[in-house]
Amino acid sequence: MEVINKEGTEDTPKIILNRNDGIFEISGRSLPEDSADFYQPILDWLEKYSGSPNPETVFVFKLEYFNTASSKLILDILSKLETITNTRIQWYFHEDDEDMEEAGTEFSELVEVPFEFKTY
Amino acid sequence: MKYIYELHRTMITRKLILVYEGEFTQEITKSVLAMAERNMDAIGEDSGIKRKVFNVMVECLQNIVKHSDEIQEGGAPVRHGAVFMIGKDDDKYLITSGNPIQNDKVEMLNNKLDHINSLDKEGLKNYYKEVIKSNKGLSEKGGAGLGFIDMARKSGQKLQFDFEPMGNEYSFFSLKTVIRRTATDSE
């Protein structure tokens, strides 16, 4: 399966989706002009991956900032991950960023996927 | 040339650190954000306050990019004119924007903002979750319908707004969000 490796920019996050190395990570800032358009390839990739996933999937969110349009798409990603067995989320937040911690808690209440919270 | 001095005086009296008037695009949004970030870094602003200001700015600027109505004069769209300002006082930041909207959207917007302002911290959290869960997807303009709710949540203050009639078709929508610089949690 293809590897997605997108460098981050000032308004889009860095994204790595690599099943061979077991790395699934979104990090940085997310405020793209068109978030649906930006995240569509990620959702398509996960759709394909969900057909025959790894025995375990640890999906890392290490976001510094995301806008509200991105939050809707993050929920779409989480909903997709919900369908993949043996998946868990590692939600990173800066140790003094209560809003990012709370955002993670809220997402964890909206989907049936285990969340681990970690600071950086 | 007196207007230059007057504008300068107004900016000082109103404690405005940044004013932008004109066309709004994603590129302009990024530039304005970068300027505000540099300004806050230069004075060593608290990182929590910085994040909140950044957050509210993004939603405010992207709202304008998506929703500012083009004024039609004699059938031809004139331009996406809007204004965005940041004020900085000893105890707060003021993030304000103004843009024309069609008169038929005033009531809907007014009701939405009144509803948001009627909610407390817990109410806003529940409303946010309700909207994000609704299976509507993004609007045709790419909005999630969450921007104002998020601005109210991040600021911990009521959103101040006003509609100034501009004629038969348009009103000027002004919005002000306050971010306290003092206590980190003023909700």
Side-chain angles (χ1 to χ4, degrees):
Chain A
M1 220 180 139
E2 57 156 341
V3 171
I4 292 187
N5 194 339
K6 264 181 134 112
E7 276 307 315
T9 68
E10 55 185 330
D11 60 352
T12 57
K14 177 180 170 72
I15 296 177
I16 306 174
L17 298 174
N18 182 337
R19 69 172 303 159
N20 291 337
D21 295 342
I23 302 173
F24 311 89
E25 188 173 320
I26 301 182
S27 60
R29 283 185 174 186
S30 181
L31 54 138
E33 180 163 26
D34 185 339
S35 50
D37 190 51
F38 178 80
Y39 282 103
Q40 195 54 52
I42 316 306
L43 290 165
D44 292 343
W45 192 95
L46 285 171
E47 175 64 35
K48 253 189 261 169
Y49 174 75
S50 68
S52 59
N54 288 357
E56 184 192 52
T57 307
V58 179
F59 203 103
V60 174
F61 286 91
K62 202 171 185 176
L63 290 161
E64 182 197 325
Y65 169 77
F66 60 87
N67 67 352
T68 54
S70 299
S71 72
K72 186 93 186 163
L73 274 302
I74 292 171
L75 183 61
D76 288 346
I77 291 171
L78 290 169
S79 304
K80 180 57 69 190
L81 291 169
E82 206 175 19
T83 67
I84 300 170
T85 47
N86 220 352
T87 295
R88 64 175 201 276
I89 309 298
Q90 285 184 344
W91 187 270
Y92 282 83
F93 58 95
H94 192 271
E95 56 185 0
D96 69 0
D97 192 352
E98 288 166 24
D99 289 331
M100 189 55 75
E101 183 182 10
E102 196 180 350
T105 308
E106 285 173 26
F107 279 125
S108 74
E109 290 163 5
L110 290 167
V111 288
E112 298 286 324
V113 184
F115 271 61
E116 283 173 51
F117 291 91
K118 291 174 174 270
T119 55
Y120 68 89
Chain B
M1 300 282 271
K2 198 164 176 239
Y3 72 97
I4 301 173
Y5 178 62
E6 282 165 0
L7 183 59
H8 172 70
R9 291 300 314 160
T10 306
M11 285 188 68
I12 289 173
T13 351
R14 295 267 171 187
K15 299 187 190 304
L16 298 171
I17 56 168
L18 194 151
V19 177
Y20 175 83
E21 203 284 334
E23 193 187 7
F24 282 73
T25 62
Q26 176 77 355
E27 289 310 308
I28 301 283
T29 296
K30 287 193 280 187
S31 305
V32 170
L33 288 168
M35 268 189 275
E37 272 194 296
R38 269 201 295 275
N39 190 301
M40 289 189 287
D41 282 338
I43 59 157
E45 187 55 85
D46 171 83
S47 59
I49 307 289
K50 231 165 56 183
R51 272 196 292 268
K52 284 185 193 293
V53 171
F54 186 86
N55 215 297
V56 171
M57 281 180 67
V58 172
E59 296 303 328
C60 197
L61 290 161
Q62 291 192 325
N63 259 345
I64 301 175
V65 174
K66 291 189 176 106
H67 299 293
S68 182
D69 284 325
E70 284 179 29
I71 295 207
Q72 310 262 338
E73 272 170 19
V78 177
R79 68 187 185 93
H80 244 53
V83 65
F84 176 83
M85 296 177 269
I86 307 173
K88 185 178 78 187
D89 218 331
D90 292 340
D91 60 343
K92 60 179 176 289
Y93 282 95
L94 290 171
I95 294 156
T96 50
S97 63
N99 60 276
I101 59 162
Q102 280 158 6
N103 282 337
D104 57 11
K105 293 180 189 159
V106 170
E107 194 185 348
M108 180 271 295
L109 198 51
N110 189 80
N111 292 346
K112 180 161 186 166
L113 289 163
D114 273 343
H115 178 58
I116 289 170
N117 279 343
S118 74
L119 300 170
D120 62 5
K121 195 178 174 183
E122 205 51 32
L124 284 170
K125 178 181 166 164
N126 293 333
Y127 186 35
Y128 188 94
K129 284 168 95 170
E130 194 184 301
V131 175
I132 197 173
K133 264 193 313 198
S134 67
N135 276 328
K136 278 195 294 199
L138 298 179
S139 72
E140 57 180 283
K141 288 179 175 171
L146 294 163
F148 294 131
I149 312 173
D150 194 55
M151 287 161 78
R153 292 187 73 190
K154 294 287 158 45
S155 78
Q157 309 286 324
K158 301 294 175 202
L159 302 174
Q160 299 170 45
F161 61 95
D162 184 48
F163 300 95
E164 190 69 42
M166 291 170 75
N168 293 334
E169 273 187 76
Y170 297 94
S171 293
F172 196 73
F173 167 51
S174 303
L175 178 70
K176 187 196 279 187
T177 310
V178 180
I179 291 159
R180 296 266 163 218
R181 294 179 71 193
T182 41
T184 44
D185 203 20
S186 51
E187 288 98 315

